[in-house]
Amino acid sequence: MATLLRKIGLIRLHNRDTEDPKHHHNHRGGGGGQQSASLRGKGGAKSGGHKQQQQQQQQQQHPGGAGDSSPGPGKGKGKRAAELAPRDKPPQPAAGAAGAAGAGGPRERAAGARAGPGPAVAAAAAAGGSLVPAGRQQHCTQVRSRRLMKELQDIARLSDRFISVELVDESLFDWNVKLHQVDKDSVLWQDMKETNTEFILLNLTFPDNFPFSPPFMRVLSPRLENGYVLDGGAICMELLTPRGWSSAYTVEAVMRQFAASLVKGQGRICRKAGKSKKSFSRKEAEATFKSLVKTHEKYGWVTPPVSDG
């Protein structure tokens, strides 16, 4: 009997637990509350770690805002950002550099502004807008002018009147040089006497980098044959080429060498009808000289035998 009563009591307890909605809700809510509390704890830990990671990233991107502390969620940060904005703003590039620094984001442009112009920009500035090339050109002009003025003074002091100089259009860099004398035992000297030719006229133009590069020299009159004088009045002499030139050579020395080469090459004044009055051409002389320089650079220059003097 006691066993039966215990069974009946257990059945009633079971029914009350299963049928009472309030008891059932409290029972399930208690377990669910613990589970949700644990989930909230995990979520809070995750969100806290995520927020800490975001703060670290913001500190890396903006070192100046690492110590910000604001009472409100948005007001303090906005005020602090407004205060930092003018100081963190990078300097505006110049109008000329804006195109060169236009590529990339804000941080790339700011890094480029701090690092200065790159090598390509510096090279372009040196090539176009820098004062270095102009200064160098001015220096070369001064060197050339001083050298040529000294050359004119030295030629004016020559006692034998071997050569004389006239400036073309008052230009210090364009000379007409008169060669008054050659070897008096040569056939060329005899031709000059017979044709009443007082001098052989030559033209010398001096490049920008003279005396470190040779002048361009050609015969103007009279029309000569042989004597290393070629078409257009070009002159075949190694010392007139960049390979054979030396800055120590003077105009006087060049003219004396030319007078000697005329005699060695059996130069004569042209007396053929219809050809003797034909003048030399600068364009033809330049083309001929350029061609002979290429030929001699390929095959070398022929040295005259010792017997020729």
Side-chain angles (χ1 to χ4, degrees), residues 81-215:
E83 292 175 357
L84 293 177
R87 289 184 291 176
D88 294 341
K89 187 175 181 181
Q92 295 296 330
R107 280 197 285 174
E108 287 79 2
R109 290 196 294 267
R114 290 193 299 269
V121 177
S130 176
L131 296 178
V132 174
R136 184 177 180 182
Q137 184 178 4
Q138 183 179 4
H139 175 70
C140 292
T141 302
Q142 292 176 355
V143 171
R144 179 174 57 158
S145 300
R146 287 196 298 264
R147 173 64 179 269
L148 292 176
M149 289 296 295
K150 185 179 183 302
E151 296 263 4
L152 285 173
Q153 294 173 0
D154 293 341
I155 292 173
R157 296 192 189 103
L158 291 177
S159 58
D160 58 356
R161 297 289 298 172
F162 172 66
I163 57 174
S164 61
V165 176
E166 293 179 357
L167 301 182
V168 178
D169 296 331
E170 302 298 328
S171 173
L172 184 61
F173 313 127
D174 193 355
W175 292 9
N176 281 345
V177 181
K178 297 178 180 179
L179 175 62
H180 298 280
Q181 300 177 17
V182 294
D183 187 356
K184 295 182 179 180
D185 295 331
S186 65
V187 291
L188 180 58
W189 180 256
Q190 297 298 324
D191 288 346
M192 292 177 67
K193 292 296 183 182
E194 293 176 4
T195 58
N196 295 322
T197 302
E198 297 181 0
F199 53 81
I200 298 173
L201 183 63
L202 300 98
N203 178 256
L204 280 76
T205 54
F206 300 92
D208 293 340
N209 54 346
F210 179 85
F212 306 105
S213 292

Side-chain angles (χ1 to χ4, degrees), residues 3 13 18 24 49 51 53 59 81 86 93 105 120 135 139 151 183 190 235-236 261 274 276 306:
T3 304
L13 290 174
T18 55
H24 181 70
K51 183 179 295 184
Q53 185 177 3
Q59 291 175 2
H139 175 70
E151 296 263 4
D183 187 356
Q190 297 298 324
I235 301 170
C236 182
S261 67
S276 60
V306 180

Side-chain angles (χ1 to χ4, degrees), residues 284-302:
E284 187 179 5
E286 290 176 345
T288 302
F289 185 76
K290 185 177 180 180
S291 176
L292 71 89
V293 167
K294 287 184 178 180
T295 301
H296 285 296
E297 285 181 350
K298 184 176 181 180
Y299 298 103
W301 293 82
V302 179

